[in-house]
Amino acid sequence: MFYKLLRSVPLLTAILVICYSYWCFIFLYCDKSLDQQQPLKFCFYHIIFYLFTWSYYKTTTTPPPAIPHDFFLSAATMNKIWDANENCEKINAILSSKAHTLPIYTYSREGHYRYCQDCAILKPDRTHHCRVCGQCILKMDHHCPWLHNCMSFSNYKFYILFLAYGAVYCLIFLSILPVELFKWYMRSKVLEEGLLYHYTLLSISGVLFLAIFSALFFYHLYLVLKNRTTLEAFRAPLFSYGQDKDGFNVGAGNNFIQVFGETKWKWFIPVFCNILYYLKR
Ligand SMILES: [Zn+2]
Ligand SMILES: [Zn+2]
């Protein structure tokens, strides 16, 4: 119970930061600003805020996809694997008849079919067991403690949109706050101490979060275009012909469509449009 609560701390911190930024925008900027274009910025801010929080909500709350039933192994098979004592040939002999009926193209580092002892499954390609979630995750990218969820087949698009809108959200603050401070200064008005404190805090956090969001966004966009997960970028998957970091790469356009779907206007909103991944062979 305590461990569960502890794991929620990063998520709660992130929610508090979002709430704080919203409070600052509404009760400090909108209430005290001298900006003539405030209504326009008010509308734009709320569109981005909505898209940002919607993407955030979908990223954190979308559960990992269920492993198809065909990949499950019986207790008898698991006992045989246990008795095989990690012998590669014996494991392949036990699993080959089932594996041949399934679309499995990758192998473990040891060269046998990939299986999970904890979940009692033959692992589908790109599936990894997450120790935090306690289950195998289809097309696992990584587990994010700040989002309290695994980035996987079911929410990867939402995660990338969250990063993109997060970066734009920071840019809004960074385009407003320094100008506001300058205007107050030029009109020789003394800025309230509280206002100066919040504007400074927001500006520093804005720069930091903008750097984090944009770096992660461009990195994950690169991975999408290459059809690689973060785990595969660190260790290339092993196919029958050897390791190949581009084993799932079917061309930048097709790779993008696999994550973002074919309908262009849906690329910008966090609705599920993934196409089941397929191999180039
Ligand atoms: Zn597992
Ligand atoms: Zn996880």
Side-chain angles (χ1 to χ4, degrees):
M1 180 69 183
F2 174 72
Y3 188 55
K4 264 191 169 180
L5 274 175
L6 199 67
R7 286 207 314 239
S8 307
V9 170
L11 180 76
L12 291 173
T13 310
I15 292 171
L16 278 175
V17 170
I18 295 172
C19 291
Y20 169 70
S21 66
Y22 187 79
W23 175 82
C24 284
F25 186 87
I26 298 299
F27 294 102
L28 295 184
Y29 167 70
C30 290
D31 205 28
K32 301 179 191 291
S33 171
L34 309 167
D35 197 344
Q36 300 288 316
Q37 293 176 320
Q38 200 194 73
L40 199 69
K41 288 180 181 171
F42 182 86
C43 292
F44 183 67
Y45 171 85
H46 278 90
I47 292 168
I48 296 300
F49 180 79
Y50 178 69
L51 288 167
F52 174 52
T53 47
W54 184 16
S55 307
Y56 181 72
Y57 173 77
K58 292 281 281 189
T59 311
T60 52
T61 57
T62 305
I67 303 292
H69 193 71
D70 292 346
F71 289 83
F72 279 82
L73 297 169
S74 66
T77 309
M78 290 312 296
N79 284 337
K80 281 185 198 169
I81 291 173
W82 183 259
D83 292 339
N85 204 17
E86 298 190 13
N87 180 298
C88 201
E89 284 177 11
K90 282 184 184 172
I91 291 172
N92 277 345
I94 296 162
L95 295 175
S96 63
S97 58
K98 190 174 180 73
H100 282 143
T101 64
L102 297 166
I104 292 177
Y105 300 94
T106 58
Y107 299 85
S108 71
R109 263 184 303 163
E110 293 76 20
H112 57 66
Y113 289 112
R114 298 165 70 245
Y115 65 93
C116 178
Q117 195 90 45
D118 298 329
C119 305
I121 58 159
L122 249 174
K123 282 183 183 171
D125 290 338
R126 317 187 87 177
T127 297
H128 296 275
H129 188 89
C130 174
R131 292 281 155 216
V132 183
C133 297
Q135 66 181 93
C136 274
I137 310 286
L138 210 61
K139 202 183 177 189
M140 179 177 173
D141 189 88
H142 68 283
H143 184 94
C144 179
W146 294 99
L147 298 164
H148 200 34
N149 203 359
C150 253
M151 303 307 111
S152 67
F153 178 72
S154 55
N155 65 351
Y156 194 45
K157 176 191 172 187
F158 311 152
Y159 174 63
I160 293 170
L161 287 177
F162 159 72
L163 296 174
Y165 289 126
V168 178
Y169 189 69
C170 292
L171 277 173
I172 292 176
F173 279 98
L174 292 175
S175 67
I176 287 173
L177 301 183
V179 178
E180 280 297 295
L181 286 171
F182 183 70
K183 277 183 185 167
W184 280 87
Y185 174 76
M186 289 303 282
R187 295 189 185 199
S188 303
K189 287 194 175 179
V190 180
L191 205 63
E192 288 171 35
E193 203 172 299
L195 206 63
L196 183 66
Y197 168 76
H198 289 298
Y199 275 18
T200 311
L201 184 65
L202 267 179
S203 301
I204 295 168
S205 336
V207 171
L208 280 174
F209 281 111
L210 177 65
I212 295 168
F213 281 133
S214 47
L216 285 172
F217 169 73
F218 286 114
Y219 177 63
H220 282 283
L221 191 64
Y222 166 78
L223 291 180
V224 165
L225 296 176
K226 291 282 181 188
N227 208 340
R228 266 177 231 159
T229 62
T230 302
L231 293 173
E232 288 160 0
F234 282 99
R235 182 181 292 153
L238 180 70
F239 293 85
S240 56
Y241 55 88
Q243 274 193 311
D244 183 2
K245 61 183 178 183
D246 284 319
F248 299 104
N249 188 348
V250 285
N254 287 331
N255 294 338
F256 183 84
I257 284 170
Q258 279 186 35
V259 177
F260 281 81
E262 285 173 321
T263 317
K264 283 180 184 163
W265 66 269
K266 287 184 181 174
W267 291 353
F268 305 98
I269 55 169
V271 292
F272 187 79
C273 321
N274 295 34
I275 292 171
L276 267 173
Y277 51 85
Y278 49 91
L279 292 169
K280 59 186 171 187
R281 284 169 294 282

